[in-house]
Amino acid sequence: MSGAFRKIDIDIYDEDVLHEEELYTADPRDPAEVVAAAKQKQGTVRSALSRSDIPGALSIALDSVPYGPNVDDAKLITLQVLLTIMNSTKSTDIPNVLKALSPEEQDTLMKYLYKGMATSGNDVSGSVLLDWHEKLTEVAGLGCIVRTMTDRRTV
Amino acid sequence: MAPQVFPLSQTPITAHSFNADRSQVAVSFNSHEAQIFSWSGSQWTLNATLTEHDKPITSIDWAPASNRIVTASQDRNAYVWQETQDPETGSLIWKPTLVLLRINRAATHVRWSPKEDKFAVASGARAIAVCSFDPENNWWVSKLLKKPIRSTVLCVDWHPNNVLLAAGTADMKARVFSAYIKEVDAKPAPSVWGSKLPFNTLCGEYTSPAGGWVHAVAFSPSGDVLAFASHDSSMTIVYPGGTMYNIKMTSLPLVTLTWTSEQSIVAAGHDCQPYVAPKSASARPGVPGKLNKSAAFATFQSADSRGQSSIAASSDTKLLTIHQNTITSVRPYEEQGGVVTKVTTSGADGRLIIWDTNDVSALATKLATLSV
C-alpha cells in the first residue's frame, strides 16, 4: 500500500495559509546591496575600533541590519563585526556603552547576542556574550528579550 | 487610596464584568460556567451560576443599560443572558438565548456595542461575528467580518459611534473595521476613520515595528485615537492620518488595556501590575508609571507585619506586586467628570482588585517613544 500521500505538503495547495513573510515588513533593499552594505560596515567598524571608539563602532554595526530570507552571508558578516566589537570592549565600559544606545539599537544588539550564543565556533566567547546579556538586561529589561523572541525580522 | 483586594477563588479569573451600579460582577474561573457575585456590603457572595456552555468561557460582557450578559466560549457559541422572573418560584433567574455565530473555531472575546443593540465576537476562525437582534424571528443573527484577517482575532473594541470596530489579531495587526448593519444602525457621521463605511470596510491597519500578537485594543473615549498592546512588550498609540507612537516597555508583555481619559491609559499583563501611560502636553506619550505600592514598600510592609527580615523575604515565593499572577483583564469601574477614577483588574491568581487611578508611582527605568 502506497503511503506516498502522507508525504505531500498540503500547505502549498492551501491558498489561505499564512506565510512567514506576511508577518513583517520585508527589507526593501536588494540582497546584493545588503551584502555590500555589510562588507562596508566591516571596514568602517575596523577603523572605529582602531581609534578605540566603541560606542561609534556599535552604532555603525547596529544600523540597518540585514534580516529576512536570502541574506545569510550578510547576516554572518554582521555577526562577526559585532562579536569583534564585543570582544574588544572592557567589561567595566559595557554599561556606559549600552546606556548610550537607542532602544532600537538595544533590541538589535540583544538579537545578535542570542544569535552569537546559538553559533558554535572558536571565536565565539560564551562568557563575553553572557556578560553583555546581563548588562543589557539591566538596562533594557525583560521587554528587550521578549522583543527578540517576538520579532520576526530575524538576524 | 489603597487598592481593594478581593480573592474570589484559587483558580484563575479568565474574564470579569460588572453591572451598571457595580453591585454585581460576572466572572468566569477558567471553566464552562460563569458565576455572578453580589456585593453584600463587606464581601462578594455567590448569587447565581450560569451553566450552558460546554467548554471554558473565554469572555464575558455585561451591558449596563439593558442589563444583559453575553458570554462567549471555546465551544464556538455565545449566549445572551437576560434576567427574568421564574414562573414557578417567582425569583429572578438568568435565562440564556443561544446565538448562532456560524464560526468553526473558539470564540475568544466579546463586547457589547455602546448602544447595546449589537455585540462583536472575536474568534479563532479568522473572523469577527457581529450579532444584532432580528425582532421578526426573535433571535440574534450574526454577520461575519472576514477579509483581510489572517489569523485568530484576540480582542475587539467598539468606537463610540456604534459602527466602527477595532480588532487585534494574531497576525500582528490591529485593524479598524466598519461593522455597520443596515437594519440596526443609522448612517454614522464622518469621523477621522472615514466617511462612507459599508459593512467590512477596512478603515485602518496598524502594526508595531517588532510585530507581536495584538492582545488588547481600545478606542479613546472620543474615538479619535486607537491604542493597542502587543506581545513585543510594547503599546502603540495611533492617530489616524497622523503619527503612530510606539512605547517600548522594559516589562513583560501587556495583555489588556483601557483608556481612563482622553490623555491616559491603564494597561496590565504578564508583569502582574497595572501601568498608567499618560500623554504629555505635546501629544507624545509620557513615561508610564506603575499603579501599585512600590516594591520597596511591599518588602518593608511584610517585614513589619510578619517580622520577616528582607533577607528571608527575598527567598519567599510571593511576588512583590499585589496580583500574584498575570492580570487577565482591566475594566473601568468608577467615573467622575468623564475621567475614570477607579479600575478593576482580575488575574490568573483568582483576585479581583479595585485600583485608584491617581495612585501612580513613577517608573525609574528609561522608556522610549518612537515616532513611526
Side-chain angles (χ1 to χ4, degrees):
Chain A
M1 245 204 335
S2 160
F5 71 91
R6 297 178 195 279
K7 298 205 173 71
I8 306 174
D9 177 14
I10 57 163
D11 283 336
I12 55 176
Y13 299 108
D14 184 3
E15 302 127 9
D16 213 15
V17 76
L18 185 63
H19 296 285
E20 185 72 32
E21 293 84 54
E22 294 178 52
L23 295 173
Y24 62 91
T25 38
D27 197 342
R29 298 173 295 178
D30 190 52
E33 209 186 300
V34 174
V35 178
K39 291 210 175 96
Q40 197 197 22
K41 238 190 245 181
Q42 219 173 13
T44 337
V45 166
R46 214 170 285 152
S47 57
L49 284 176
S50 60
R51 296 192 306 267
S52 297
D53 177 20
I54 306 286
L58 255 184
S59 292
I60 300 167
L62 293 170
D63 175 52
S64 306
V65 292
Y67 65 88
N70 306 325
V71 287
D72 290 332
D73 294 330
K75 289 182 186 178
L76 280 167
I77 298 173
T78 322
L79 177 66
Q80 285 305 323
V81 165
L82 276 157
L83 287 172
T84 326
I85 301 175
M86 285 192 264
N87 286 329
S88 334
T89 321
K90 272 203 294 280
S91 185
T92 43
D93 292 339
I94 299 176
N96 293 328
V97 168
L98 291 176
K99 287 204 187 86
L101 294 174
S102 76
E104 289 73 43
E105 289 171 334
Q106 286 172 346
D107 287 346
T108 316
L109 179 61
M110 186 61 91
K111 286 186 199 172
Y112 277 102
L113 285 174
Y114 277 101
K115 188 177 172 75
M117 289 192 229
T119 340
S120 52
N122 295 327
D123 49 335
V124 178
S125 162
S127 60
V128 166
L129 290 174
L130 286 173
D131 195 21
W132 277 82
H133 185 275
E134 183 196 353
K135 307 242 161 60
L136 183 53
T137 313
E138 268 166 46
V139 173
L142 292 171
C144 186
I145 300 177
V146 174
R147 272 186 286 279
T148 310
M149 294 194 283
T150 313
D151 204 334
R152 298 293 171 134
R153 299 172 298 184
T154 42
V155 298
Chain B
M1 208 202 86
Q4 297 170 276
V5 184
F6 305 109
L8 293 180
S9 94
Q10 295 297 314
T11 40
I13 301 178
T14 33
H16 82 278
S17 187
F18 281 87
N19 67 348
D21 61 6
R22 312 310 192 211
S23 59
Q24 292 186 318
V25 62
V27 282
S28 172
F29 297 116
N30 202 24
S31 78
H32 56 278
E33 290 175 344
Q35 263 110 344
I36 299 185
F37 285 81
S38 294
W39 182 243
S40 65
S42 57
Q43 55 171 2
W44 293 97
T45 44
L46 182 59
N47 193 331
T49 310
L50 309 177
T51 42
E52 273 304 321
H53 286 290
D54 307 314
K55 291 261 185 73
I57 293 178
T58 48
S59 181
I60 305 177
D61 200 21
W62 199 319
S66 51
N67 206 38
R68 288 179 295 195
I69 301 177
V70 62
T71 52
S73 149
Q74 288 175 10
D75 63 1
R76 300 166 278 128
N77 289 329
Y79 282 92
V80 174
W81 304 80
Q82 231 154 341
E83 211 169 25
T84 50
Q85 221 173 21
D86 189 359
E88 291 142 41
T89 60
S91 60
L92 283 172
I93 53 152
W94 288 95
K95 192 167 85 68
T97 313
L98 173 66
V99 180
L100 283 170
L101 299 171
R102 299 181 295 121
I103 51 177
N104 56 5
R105 292 290 185 281
T108 54
H109 199 82
V110 67
R111 285 290 179 265
W112 284 104
S113 70
K115 288 213 190 89
E116 296 169 19
D117 50 4
K118 300 188 288 189
F119 59 89
V121 186
S123 76
R126 311 189 333 181
I128 305 169
V130 181
C131 305
S132 55
F133 195 67
D134 178 14
E136 250 182 64
N137 298 312
N138 199 29
W139 67 357
W140 291 87
V141 287
S142 80
K143 269 187 101 167
L144 297 178
L145 285 167
K146 276 187 161 266
K147 284 205 180 303
I149 302 173
R150 307 286 286 123
S151 189
T152 305
V153 186
L154 297 168
C155 54
V156 285
D157 189 48
W158 288 93
H159 185 280
N161 72 2
N162 212 56
V163 170
L164 293 169
L165 186 70
T169 52
D171 58 4
M172 331 297 188
K173 306 255 195 306
R175 297 185 178 89
V176 177
F177 289 98
S178 158
Y180 172 76
I181 308 236
K182 204 166 39 140
E183 296 82 15
V184 174
D185 293 311
K187 277 227 171 342
S191 68
V192 293
W193 301 98
S195 33
K196 233 177 133 44
L197 304 167
F199 187 78
N200 210 350
T201 316
L202 182 68
C203 304
E205 193 176 85
Y206 311 99
T207 183
S208 164
W213 308 313
V214 179
H215 288 296
V217 71
F219 279 107
S220 67
S222 69
D224 294 335
V225 194
L226 182 73
F228 61 92
S230 43
H231 202 73
D232 61 340
S233 286
S234 77
M235 193 166 20
T236 315
I237 302 177
V238 179
Y239 291 84
T243 40
M244 193 168 93
Y245 298 102
N246 181 257
I247 309 172
K248 289 187 204 265
M249 313 276 291
T250 53
S251 62
L252 293 176
L254 302 163
V255 298
T256 173
L257 65 85
T258 183
W259 289 79
T260 46
S261 73
E262 201 64 31
Q263 281 83 35
S264 144
I265 297 171
V266 168
H270 292 287
D271 233 26
C272 315
Q273 60 190 337
Y275 288 91
V276 181
K279 188 168 79 168
S280 61
S282 61
R284 282 192 137 235
V287 176
K290 290 187 225 193
L291 200 64
N292 194 7
K293 304 194 270 253
S294 70
F297 179 67
T299 326
F300 172 73
Q301 199 185 42
S302 76
D304 183 45
S305 61
R306 282 182 267 149
Q308 284 172 319
S309 71
S310 56
I311 306 156
S314 62
S315 62
D316 207 281
T317 49
K318 206 165 168 316
L319 286 182
L320 293 172
T321 52
I322 303 182
H323 266 295
Q324 293 298 299
N325 207 322
T326 313
I327 295 178
T328 50
S329 173
V330 68
R331 296 270 209 157
Y333 181 74
E334 200 179 85
E335 237 185 78
Q336 255 170 26
V339 174
V340 175
T341 47
K342 291 208 180 124
V343 289
T344 49
T345 56
S346 63
D349 55 354
R351 290 184 186 182
L352 183 68
I353 301 181
I354 304 177
W355 307 80
D356 184 350
T357 52
N358 293 318
D359 200 12
V360 187
S361 68
L363 200 56
T365 333
K366 182 183 87 162
L367 278 136
T369 52
L370 168 72
S371 208
V372 173

